[in-house]
């Protein structure tokens, strides 16, 4: 098993467009370590029948079989859940993070037959599985991650089923993702950075209570955003006349800062616009 996992890691380092090229006799494609470790047919056989789940086999139409079907519907990654949790635990155990952390999403290119595959025309890899990650800003080292699982009946309301029961944060599902990823580092004084997909006032308040500083861009329609920020271009009618045009009311390079307790909100207009 260790040899198999080691070869799989090597595939990620020494990438080939086709897995069979590792056993090629051509000097440009063949890999001697892979050839010495496994024959091609044996490796493909292991890949086909490898089973990570600890759940025993159950006959059809039994109570245990029904329970397993329900669990698989709730978490499509159930068969490899032990592997994902073990990798995340080892990643956190072997490295202490620096102060600045980042939460973002990535794509694992994949076109296989699974409901977790999404299509995004704007990405370099159009098809793949979305993964939410907590990584170190300076190095990109990943400490925690979770595979995104779309809901079958409403793909526009995407969530991770296992996060529905997250007790720490009761806000939007995007905030639950952040809360679950950063949970191992509560009360340690880290600074987490995120984009507008996750930013919301209630999430930042929740992180502040657990001694986690947060920074992120935000959208103008998020809940909890002060009205002064949403109407920053009309904020001071004594300085800007009401009948002024957009450029006079909010010229390029302008910015406004608002403070509410420990939270600071800055609105600005880019100089390119």
């Amino acid at each position: 098993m260790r040899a198999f996992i080691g070869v799989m890691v090597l595939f990620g380092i020494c990438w080939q467009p086709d897995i069979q090229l590792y056993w090629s006799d051509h000097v440009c494609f063949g890999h001697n370590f892979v050839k010495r470790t496994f024959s091609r047919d044996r490796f493909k056989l292991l890949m086909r029948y490898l089973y990570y789940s600890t759940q025993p086999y159950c006959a059809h139409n039994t109570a245990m079989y029904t329970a397993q079907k329900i669990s698989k519907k709730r978490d499509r990654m159930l068969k490899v859940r032990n592997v994902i949790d073990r990798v995340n635990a080892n990643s956190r155990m072997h490295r202490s993070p620096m102060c600045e952390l980042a939460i973002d999403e990535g794509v694992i290119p994949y076109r296989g037959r699974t409901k977790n595959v999404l299509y995004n025309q704007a990405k370099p890899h159009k098809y793949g599985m979305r993964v939410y990650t907590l990584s170190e800003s300076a190095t990109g080292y990943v400490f925690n991650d979770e595979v995104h699982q779309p809901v079958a009946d409403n793909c526009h309301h995407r969530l991770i089923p296992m996060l529905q029961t997250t007790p720490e944060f009761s806000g939007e599902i995007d905030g639950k993702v952040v809360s679950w990823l950063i949970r191992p580092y509560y009360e340690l004084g880290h600074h987490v950075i995120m984009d507008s997909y996750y930013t919301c006032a209630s999430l930042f308040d929740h992180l502040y209570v657990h001694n986690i500083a947060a920074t992120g861009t935000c959208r103008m329609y998020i809940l909890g955003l002060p009205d002064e920020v949403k109407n920053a271009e009309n904020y001071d009618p004594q300085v800007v006349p009401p009948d002024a045009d957009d450029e006079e009311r909010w010229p390029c390079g302008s910015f406004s800062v608002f403070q509410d307790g420990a939270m600071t909100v800055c609105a600005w207009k880019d100089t390119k616009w």
Side-chain angles (χ1 to χ4, degrees), residues 173-238:
I173 188 63
D174 303 330
K176 288 179 179 288
V177 172
V178 176
S179 177
W180 187 85
L181 290 175
I182 198 68
R183 180 170 51 184
Y185 299 104
Y186 277 170
E187 312 300 339
L188 296 180
H190 288 286
H191 178 201
V192 60
I193 303 169
M194 63 195 76
D195 59 19
S196 60
Y197 183 78
Y198 308 97
T199 302
C200 66
S202 58
L203 172 63
F204 280 25
D205 290 335
H206 168 76
L207 295 177
Y208 180 75
V209 171
H210 292 280
N211 195 23
I212 298 291
T215 301
T217 57
C218 66
R219 303 170 185 177
M220 298 300 292
Y221 54 81
I222 66 170
L223 296 176
L225 194 66
D227 292 336
E228 292 83 0
V229 178
K230 298 179 180 179
N231 303 315
E233 66 273 17
N234 302 323
Y235 180 63
D236 193 353
Q238 296 181 357

Side-chain angles (χ1 to χ4, degrees), residues 95-207:
R95 182 178 176 88
S96 297
M98 301 174 65
C99 181
E100 285 77 19
L101 301 175
I103 289 181
D104 205 350
E105 56 190 56
V107 175
I108 300 176
Y110 187 70
R111 287 177 175 263
R113 297 176 60 182
T114 174
K115 294 181 179 180
N116 292 337
V117 172
L118 299 174
Y119 173 75
N120 191 337
Q121 186 177 4
K123 297 292 185 179
H125 301 287
K126 310 299 182 184
Y127 294 90
M129 291 186 288
R130 180 184 298 175
V131 181
Y132 301 101
T133 61
L134 172 69
S135 59
E136 196 173 53
S137 298
T139 63
Y141 184 92
V142 176
F143 295 98
N144 206 1
D145 61 5
E146 179 57 47
V147 178
H148 170 78
Q149 302 182 40
V151 177
D153 57 350
N154 186 1
C155 291
H156 295 287
H157 181 58
R158 303 187 178 101
L159 51 84
I160 300 174
M162 64 175 297
L163 299 182
Q164 295 183 19
T165 58
T166 303
E168 293 87 355
F169 181 70
S170 59
E172 296 294 330
I173 188 63
D174 303 330
K176 288 179 179 288
V177 172
V178 176
S179 177
W180 187 85
L181 290 175
I182 198 68
R183 180 170 51 184
Y185 299 104
Y186 277 170
E187 312 300 339
L188 296 180
H190 288 286
H191 178 201
V192 60
I193 303 169
M194 63 195 76
D195 59 19
S196 60
Y197 183 78
Y198 308 97
T199 302
C200 66
S202 58
L203 172 63
F204 280 25
D205 290 335
H206 168 76
L207 295 177

Side-chain angles (χ1 to χ4, degrees), residues 55-104:
Q55 295 182 342
Y57 173 79
C58 301
H60 290 266
N61 301 325
T62 61
M64 185 172 292
Y65 177 80
T66 304
Q68 289 186 5
K69 292 289 288 184
I70 295 175
S71 299
K72 291 177 182 178
K73 287 183 179 181
R74 182 175 178 270
D75 183 10
R76 298 189 187 125
M77 306 301 295
L78 183 64
K79 290 186 177 181
V80 293
R81 177 59 57 192
N82 293 332
V83 177
I84 295 175
D85 294 342
R86 183 70 178 272
V87 170
N88 287 334
N90 288 339
S91 298
R92 295 191 295 268
M93 180 177 63
H94 291 288
R95 182 178 176 88
S96 297
M98 301 174 65
C99 181
E100 285 77 19
L101 301 175
I103 289 181
D104 205 350

Side-chain angles (χ1 to χ4, degrees), residues 3 6-40 43:
V7 170
M8 293 295 292
V9 173
L10 179 64
F11 285 174
I13 299 174
C14 303
W15 182 82
Q16 297 280 12
D18 190 346
I19 194 173
Q20 299 192 78
L21 291 177
Y22 291 99
W23 287 271
S24 173
D25 293 332
H26 196 283
V27 65
C28 296
F29 300 107
H31 201 289
N32 292 329
F33 175 80
V34 177
K35 293 179 182 179
R36 292 197 305 265
T37 308
F38 289 105
S39 66
R40 182 193 61 186
F43 183 84

